[in-house]
Amino acid sequence: MSGGEGILLYNNITKKYCSFGFLARGKRNYYFATAGHCYLESARCFLVPWESKFTPTAFIGKTFFHRLEKIDFSLITIQNEDFEPIPTIRNTDSKVFPDLLLTEDYIVVSSNGAHLCLSGLISHVKCGFVESLNGFASIYAKYVSENIFAVSMVGENGDSGGSVFSYKQDMPEWYSEFG
């Protein structure tokens, strides 16, 4: 399982499709991180690969923790022992680079014009450029998020929580596949 792969969260009442962001490790358990607004109380979580047409293929675990304020973030406990997370970002629409290797755990976005990409269930991989730093937005008419940045790309419902990444060096030649 790679970052950007799809997940179905289901609690017998509601279901949501989102995307995996990255693997996180606690003292005793491994988790997958996704967006906090993807969280459903007592939800079971299933793998939904890009090519599955929204059909879950394997049980992964249960929702564990979430937060909406300051950072939109949640964790899913990995409970399936047969499940093997891979430290890559899904990019299987590309024949040249179907898996993008992770080399750093965080991104520093420090200037307008910097490039950012996302990998998610609906959009797969798409890239854009930072247009604004240090903005703010009202989320769900209850919370105000600060220090957000605007990028010249739009994710779709189901991409929430997916991996956001950048490249340290100049954009690779294959970047035009996503531009």
Side-chain angles (χ1 to χ4, degrees):
M1 167 97 171
S2 299
E5 200 76 73
I7 52 174
L8 169 65
L9 297 97
Y10 180 67
N11 67 2
N12 294 330
I13 298 168
T14 306
K15 68 179 181 178
K16 287 185 182 182
Y17 289 95
C18 286
S19 298
F20 282 111
F22 57 89
L23 180 66
R25 184 173 56 174
K27 289 182 180 179
R28 294 184 180 91
N29 296 314
Y30 284 92
Y31 307 93
F32 260 112
T34 190
H37 65 269
C38 290
Y39 181 85
L40 290 174
E41 186 74 37
S42 303
R44 295 172 14 118
C45 304
F46 300 88
L47 173 63
V48 180
W50 288 1
E51 67 280 354
S52 71
K53 298 183 177 159
F54 298 97
T55 302
T57 60
F59 172 73
I60 293 163
K62 294 185 177 180
T63 54
F64 171 70
F65 169 85
H66 81 290
R67 203 173 251 178
L68 293 175
E69 209 169 343
K70 290 256 182 195
I71 187 167
D72 183 19
F73 176 76
S74 67
L75 294 173
I76 297 166
T77 303
I78 298 174
Q79 296 175 318
N80 183 341
E81 293 179 10
D82 295 330
F83 184 73
E84 185 176 338
I86 302 168
T88 60
I89 296 173
R90 177 104 191 236
N91 186 35
T92 52
D93 291 343
S94 169
K95 293 176 184 166
V96 179
F97 296 101
D99 295 301
L100 302 173
L101 298 176
L102 299 175
T103 58
E104 303 252 344
D105 289 341
Y106 60 91
I107 298 172
V108 177
V109 178
S110 60
S111 66
N112 289 341
H115 72 280
L116 282 178
C117 302
L118 70 82
S119 178
L121 175 62
I122 307 302
S123 296
H124 295 189
V125 173
K126 64 168 51 169
C127 299
F129 296 94
V130 175
E131 294 182 339
S132 174
L133 296 169
N134 298 323
F136 66 93
S138 176
I139 299 176
Y140 309 114
K142 185 175 181 182
Y143 302 106
V144 173
S145 292
E146 299 176 15
N147 298 320
I148 64 171
F149 49 92
V151 179
S152 64
M153 68 176 157
V154 178
E156 305 293 331
N157 286 336
D159 289 339
S160 290
S163 298
V164 175
F165 60 98
S166 184
Y167 300 95
K168 281 188 163 185
Q169 61 266 39
D170 292 337
M171 294 301 293
E173 291 177 25
W174 55 267
Y175 174 76
S176 62
E177 288 183 45
F178 311 111

